[in-house]
Amino acid sequence: MRIAEKTGKTVEEAINAGIMELGVDRDRVKVEVIEEPTKKGLFGLFGTRLAKVRVFYEDNPGLLAADFINKVCKAISVNADTKVSKNGEHWHIDITGPELGILIGRRGDTLDALQYLTNLAVAKQMSERVRIIVDVEGYRQRREETLVRLAKRLSEKVKRTGTKIVLEPMNPHERRIIHTSLQDEARISTFSEGDDPNRRVVISLKRG
């Protein structure tokens, strides 16, 4: 939580000073009025007391991530909306809008890069580590389902032919999906070979 303590001729002026220091929107802060302002007394014998407030802002990783993504989309002239949700310890940002293929890229490469940059941007503003998952209209879920089906189909082919199959290069997350989907196959073994970004999953029969 970040706190700014400010004074001003009015309560609102003090609040605005606190908001400017914290660099956040008015609707994202809580305010505690410490002292109300007073005017000068008769003949100016008494001094003016300024308003004093304490402005509280608790960083919300999801909103920070959404703000960053909205700025990126605006910078590249992409019309998009963001929806924030939380599942366990992970914050999910789902991007929706027309013609968002530019944010996905080839096999999700651009989306992975955007997610990486979003996590970096949020980490700079947080005192604790958080995990941000960025998706574009459910692309990651569809991609996972496609990979699971692919893994099952290719594992059956390996069983029939006895010949190992080397898949196309994948990022660590997608390789993990392949490994996990086949981990309970009694006759099938999976492992990765090569170096990133050309590291591939190999599906083969278990020895013995």
Side-chain angles (χ1 to χ4, degrees), residues 84-93 131 133:
V84 180
S85 60
K86 188 178 183 184
N87 183 8
E89 297 181 354
H90 292 171
W91 289 88
H92 293 259
I93 313 297
R131 172 68 169 155
I133 297 175

Side-chain angles (χ1 to χ4, degrees), residues 153-186:
R153 178 167 57 82
L154 294 182
S155 69
E156 291 302 318
K157 184 176 180 179
V158 170
K159 291 176 187 177
R160 290 197 312 272
T161 64
T163 304
K164 72 178 183 180
I165 295 178
V166 182
L167 279 67
E168 64 181 7
M170 295 180 183
N171 61 43
H173 175 68
E174 293 189 339
R175 294 199 303 271
R176 193 176 305 116
I177 292 172
I178 299 294
H179 293 310
T180 301
S181 64
L182 298 179
Q183 65 183 0
D184 294 328
E185 291 280 352

Side-chain angles (χ1 to χ4, degrees), residues 71-153:
K71 289 176 182 177
V72 170
C73 290
K74 185 177 180 180
I76 61 176
S77 301
V78 171
N79 184 20
D81 295 314
T82 51
K83 180 181 178 182
V84 180
S85 60
K86 188 178 183 184
N87 183 8
E89 297 181 354
H90 292 171
W91 289 88
H92 293 259
I93 313 297
D94 192 37
I95 309 172
T96 59
E99 301 180 359
L100 295 181
I102 189 175
L103 296 181
I104 298 174
R106 183 171 177 266
R107 295 202 308 269
D109 291 347
T110 303
L111 181 57
D112 288 338
L114 177 60
Q115 177 173 287
Y116 175 74
L117 292 175
T118 300
N119 275 276
L120 283 182
V122 172
K124 288 183 178 180
Q125 302 183 63
M126 296 293 299
S127 58
E128 60 184 45
R129 186 175 179 180
V130 296
R131 172 68 169 155
I132 308 292
I133 297 175
V134 181
D135 200 359
V136 173
E137 295 192 328
Y139 166 81
R140 292 193 185 281
Q141 181 63 36
R142 296 195 303 274
R143 177 65 173 164
E144 179 173 343
E145 292 170 355
T146 298
L147 290 174
V148 169
R149 288 196 299 269
L150 175 67
K152 297 294 185 183
R153 178 167 57 82

